[in-house]
Amino acid sequence: MTVNKSDREAQPHRQTASAEILAIALAQFATAGFAGTSLQQIADAAGYSKSSVLYHFTSKDALLEAAIGPAVDRLEHVLGGVARLRESSEARELFVEEFIDFLFEYRLEVHTFINQGQSLVGIPVIDRANAVLGRLAATFAADSTTVEEKLRFGVALGGAAYELVASMNFGDQELAHDERRSALITIVSELLAPIQTRPLTA
Amino acid sequence: MTVNKSDREAQPHRQTASAEILAIALAQFATAGFAGTSLQQIADAAGYSKSSVLYHFTSKDALLEAAIGPAVDRLEHVLGGVARLRESSEARELFVEEFIDFLFEYRLEVHTFINQGQSLVGIPVIDRANAVLGRLAATFAADSTTVEEKLRFGVALGGAAYELVASMNFGDQELAHDERRSALITIVSELLAPIQTRPLTA
DNA sequence: ACGCTAACTGACCGATCGGTCAGAACCTGA
DNA sequence: TCAGGTTCTGACCGATCGGTCAGTTAGCGT
């Protein structure tokens, strides 16, 4: 009997090889670090040979690019809405929600380039991520006169990213998604509140 | 003429070889990651041979132990005062200050075991660090009924740690230490405020 | 049945990894 | 001056790194 193509797609956890390898690689990069993850480890975890991994992705760098590239794209898009921060408190609330949702959707990717962005400079996709983060930080720090206001953004970003990935090993367990989402929105909104309050000045 | 021992100590940036290597290794571990830093890199940066590094420190693991061990010790000590959190608001303020000062003093060490604690399990000093962080988190989450309260601690810890090390690459520059310290104290206190308010129950 | 192409693999490459070891270089007290 | 200890190093080890390549396997249109 011939096996039609839908047979592959029918199996939920047996996607295309590329997607499979990519997902595993991303998880490894986020937890063990890019430098700390070998192609052999990824291949073993995915059930393929190292050669297969390099067949689907030209190089280890290309694998990283494919893994976090979409997240950087999305972040660039989210950044477009940052101007709304100073408009109204409703618009600001909307931006924070959008940002938190972004963090949830790309938690592994964000954790990867947040915590390894400094050591991986030179890899194009990382440089792109650093540039976006820099612009984001600059927007917040733009006309913040006090140190505190500048720090608030950093704490919110680093804190949220850390909480989404690194913390869950201290008995946190996997809490309900919705509950975590709304709690994070509350916390981050509270953190950024003093920045939003002040009207836009030269 | 014979050179007495004080001659060595007299030169400020030419401390003992061990201390020199240790400082450079720590900086590399924090920024490039433990796995991403080779003994050769450390040796080159310190101006010694790889063999010399391994003469002063038995192994790469031992180098990590020596680098972040003291910080873990100090954190264990700081943890002793966590009980004061619920006593009075003055005592709580004192604890937060002590904690922030700890973060400042051991910023590189903390950043290392916060962000790489998961990937380096098995190395004794890392396991120790994870255990302490787990106890710290458990103390905060102990009788917190809401998800939000549990998240607040994680955001504060991860946020402060991130801000102290990773952020300063986006034009943050090196702001005045005192200013950063008091700003962080304000922010972290604000973050943890809702937890402290509730009296000790159960 | 055939040939084409995509998917996949083992063997192999030079470079680098962490680590060992014998010895060179150096300082110091006798 | 010389023995003894500390500090430091180059040569070397097996293992693993990222990456190349020739070749095998399998599915599909004709």
Side-chain angles (χ1 to χ4, degrees):
Chain A
M1 63 173 84
T2 36
V3 187
N4 63 2
K5 195 170 64 176
S6 65
D7 179 54
R8 231 201 191 128
E9 299 161 359
Q11 304 185 22
H13 45 268
R14 243 295 179 178
Q15 335 169 328
T16 67
S18 291
E20 223 176 333
I21 292 170
L22 199 58
I24 288 175
L26 174 60
Q28 300 264 54
F29 289 160
T31 58
F34 181 72
T37 304
S38 69
L39 293 175
Q40 190 65 242
Q41 290 173 22
I42 296 171
D44 291 347
Y48 291 97
S49 70
K50 190 179 70 172
S51 299
S52 271
V53 174
L54 285 165
Y55 166 76
H56 289 286
F57 303 92
T58 319
S59 67
K60 198 186 179 189
D61 284 10
L63 189 48
L64 179 66
E65 156 73 46
I68 70 174
V72 178
D73 294 340
R74 170 73 182 275
L75 180 58
E76 280 173 342
H77 178 262
V78 170
L79 181 61
V82 80
R84 294 180 309 201
L85 260 173
R86 303 188 182 283
E87 289 178 5
S88 65
S89 66
E90 303 86 36
R92 183 180 142 279
E93 192 70 19
L94 220 68
F95 172 80
V96 171
E97 282 189 32
E98 188 182 357
F99 191 75
I100 298 291
D101 284 337
F102 160 74
L103 288 181
F104 268 95
E105 188 174 349
Y106 295 100
R107 55 170 78 188
L108 290 176
E109 294 89 337
V110 171
H111 186 260
T112 300
F113 65 69
I114 285 275
N115 288 314
Q116 304 177 56
Q118 313 311 326
S119 61
L120 302 179
V121 284
I123 301 176
V125 70
I126 292 290
D127 291 342
R128 241 181 359 118
N130 283 337
V132 179
L133 286 178
R135 265 185 286 146
L136 198 53
T139 303
F140 275 88
D143 39 27
S144 292
T145 49
T146 68
V147 171
E148 184 184 315
E149 289 182 357
K150 291 180 182 173
L151 289 189
R152 283 182 177 275
F153 168 73
V155 173
L157 175 66
Y162 170 76
E163 180 58 41
L164 283 180
V165 176
S167 78
M168 66 166 199
N169 308 60
F170 305 130
D172 248 35
Q173 259 82 323
E174 301 167 15
L175 301 166
H177 172 274
D178 290 352
E179 215 172 350
R180 285 172 69 99
R181 187 184 104 100
S182 63
L184 261 186
I185 290 175
T186 300
I187 296 172
V188 171
S189 295
E190 177 186 312
L191 264 173
L192 301 182
I195 299 180
Q196 167 259 354
T197 314
R198 189 171 30 74
L200 185 58
T201 58
Chain B
M1 64 171 80
T2 37
V3 186
N4 63 3
K5 194 169 62 177
S6 64
D7 178 54
R8 246 222 173 109
E9 298 161 0
Q11 304 186 19
H13 45 267
R14 242 295 177 178
Q15 333 167 330
T16 67
S18 292
E20 224 176 331
I21 293 170
L22 197 59
I24 287 174
L26 173 60
Q28 299 266 54
F29 290 160
T31 59
F34 180 72
T37 304
S38 70
L39 292 175
Q40 191 66 247
Q41 289 173 24
I42 296 171
D44 291 346
Y48 290 96
S49 70
K50 191 179 70 171
S51 300
S52 271
V53 174
L54 284 166
Y55 165 76
H56 289 286
F57 303 93
T58 317
S59 67
K60 199 185 179 188
D61 284 10
L63 190 47
L64 180 66
E65 156 75 45
I68 70 174
V72 178
D73 295 341
R74 171 73 183 275
L75 181 58
E76 279 173 341
H77 178 261
V78 170
L79 181 61
V82 80
R84 294 181 308 204
L85 259 171
R86 302 188 183 283
E87 290 176 4
S88 66
S89 67
E90 303 87 34
R92 182 179 143 280
E93 192 70 20
L94 220 69
F95 172 80
V96 171
E97 282 190 33
E98 188 182 356
F99 192 75
I100 298 290
D101 284 337
F102 159 73
L103 289 181
F104 268 96
E105 188 174 349
Y106 294 99
R107 56 170 78 188
L108 290 176
E109 294 89 334
V110 171
H111 186 261
T112 300
F113 65 70
I114 285 275
N115 289 313
Q116 305 178 54
Q118 314 310 326
S119 62
L120 301 180
V121 284
I123 301 176
V125 70
I126 292 291
D127 291 343
R128 226 162 33 99
N130 283 336
V132 179
L133 286 178
R135 265 185 285 145
L136 196 53
T139 302
F140 274 88
D143 38 29
S144 290
T145 48
T146 68
V147 170
E148 184 184 317
E149 290 182 356
K150 291 180 182 173
L151 288 188
R152 283 183 177 274
F153 169 73
V155 173
L157 174 66
Y162 170 77
E163 180 57 42
L164 283 180
V165 176
S167 77
M168 66 168 197
N169 309 60
F170 304 130
D172 248 35
Q173 258 81 323
E174 301 166 16
L175 302 166
H177 172 275
D178 291 352
E179 215 172 350
R180 285 172 70 98
R181 187 184 105 99
S182 63
L184 261 186
I185 289 174
T186 300
I187 296 173
V188 171
S189 295
E190 177 187 312
L191 264 173
L192 301 182
I195 298 180
Q196 167 260 353
T197 314
R198 189 170 32 72
L200 185 58
T201 59

